[in-house]
Amino acid sequence: MSTIVFTNQKGGPGKSTLAVLYAHWLVDKRGQRVCVIDLDSQKNSSKTLQKFDCGIAATELFQSAPIALPNDRLASLALFPGAKTLIDLERAKPEVVIPAFKQHIAALNRVFDTCVIDTPPALGLRMSAALIAADYVACPIELEEYSIDGVTDMLKTVFGVKQKYNPTLRLLGIIANRFNPHSPRQKEALASLLANYDEFVIPAKISTRSAIPEALAAGVPVWRLAKSSAREASAEVLNVFELLRERMVGAAVATAEAA
């Protein structure tokens, strides 16, 4: 099982939206069994995926007690929903709850092909636990100045976790999300992002399109929305996900060659 985290230390870049769409893409386009773990107390992923609730709260994954894993009769997509009480984990003992979380993630390997984790928009125990347990991380960013200012901090966090706790963690890249092609400010921000972080940026962007939130509000991925405006949105989203997959394959090949 591969575990991928969608994270950013600032709110608003669309990490929950991309986590949900990526999970749907893996099921619809790659034929995988996927679980989504919502570690954000705002519960945006949980609201969108509520019909896939597997009956095990995300908070339970931080407990030492064993859990009853979803069985093979469940749908191909299973949600471990978030809750307001996730905030309480920030006061827990890391040396207790993080190993428990890692152990539960490892156990999910018996049931799922991919685990997708949506984190809170702030550095803390939950984000750290997700990065420590993950194989890959993707960082959506909204092309506004305040978001780009946080890119350096986010990269320091990712590479800090990689160096100290999880040497196999791979940064798949920064995703330019909610791009407005008519905004000179956003075009300048994109140029700045590429100038400073070119090696980390996914070479594609996802524009601001009403079809994406409209589809998620209906409980379906944008490529299933029956309207013409969804086609362009789908093309951009699917292109980004294919590029993420290519980077995963490249990382796996590099790891195998180094072994």
Side-chain angles (χ1 to χ4, degrees), residues 133-233:
D135 301 300
Y136 306 103
V137 56
C139 302
I141 179 173
E142 188 174 6
L143 288 164
E144 298 290 349
E145 184 178 358
Y146 76 91
S147 292
I148 289 179
D149 286 344
V151 171
T152 299
D153 291 338
M154 187 68 245
L155 293 177
K156 286 181 179 178
T157 296
V158 170
F159 289 115
V161 168
K162 178 180 176 66
Q163 183 176 16
K164 293 182 66 176
Y165 305 109
N166 185 3
T168 61
L169 180 65
R170 297 275 188 157
L171 173 64
L172 294 178
I174 298 167
I175 303 169
N177 193 32
R178 295 178 176 172
F179 177 67
N180 179 358
H182 305 295
S183 168
R185 185 180 67 252
Q186 288 210 7
K187 290 179 180 178
E188 290 176 7
L190 179 59
S192 175
L193 182 68
L194 290 170
N196 290 282
Y197 305 106
D198 181 58
E199 64 181 299
F200 302 122
V201 178
I202 296 293
K205 54 188 177 293
I206 299 174
S207 304
T208 299
R209 299 183 188 276
S210 61
I212 294 176
E214 188 176 336
L216 294 179
V220 297
V222 66
W223 50 87
R224 286 197 225 153
L225 195 66
K227 56 188 303 183
S228 57
S229 62
R231 286 197 292 269
E232 290 183 349

Side-chain angles (χ1 to χ4, degrees), residues 109-146:
N109 183 59
R110 301 199 299 266
V111 182
F112 299 102
D113 300 304
T114 300
C115 174
V116 178
I117 304 178
D118 181 17
T119 72
L123 179 60
L125 186 146
R126 286 170 288 162
M127 182 186 289
S128 297
L131 293 174
I132 290 170
D135 301 300
Y136 306 103
V137 56
C139 302
I141 179 173
E142 188 174 6
L143 288 164
E144 298 290 349
E145 184 178 358
Y146 76 91

Side-chain angles (χ1 to χ4, degrees), residues 27-121:
V27 174
D28 286 0
K29 308 297 185 181
R30 309 298 301 176
Q32 294 192 13
R33 289 179 58 90
V34 180
C35 67
V36 176
I37 300 174
D38 188 358
L39 298 184
D40 191 345
S41 57
Q42 295 179 24
K43 305 184 294 182
N44 291 330
S45 293
S46 299
K47 293 169 187 173
T48 303
L49 297 173
Q50 57 184 326
K51 66 181 178 181
F52 300 103
D53 189 333
C54 73
I56 302 170
T59 51
E60 295 182 53
L61 299 176
F62 289 88
Q63 299 172 4
S64 298
I67 59 174
L69 292 177
N71 59 48
D72 292 337
R73 294 190 296 276
L74 285 177
S76 296
L77 182 56
L79 168 71
F80 292 80
K84 293 292 185 182
T85 53
L86 280 164
I87 296 175
D88 297 335
L89 285 168
E90 300 302 326
R91 298 191 296 271
K93 294 180 178 180
E95 67 273 17
V96 175
V97 297
I98 291 180
F101 183 75
K102 282 186 65 179
Q103 185 174 1
H104 287 309
I105 296 298
L108 293 174
N109 183 59
R110 301 199 299 266
V111 182
F112 299 102
D113 300 304
T114 300
C115 174
V116 178
I117 304 178
D118 181 17
T119 72

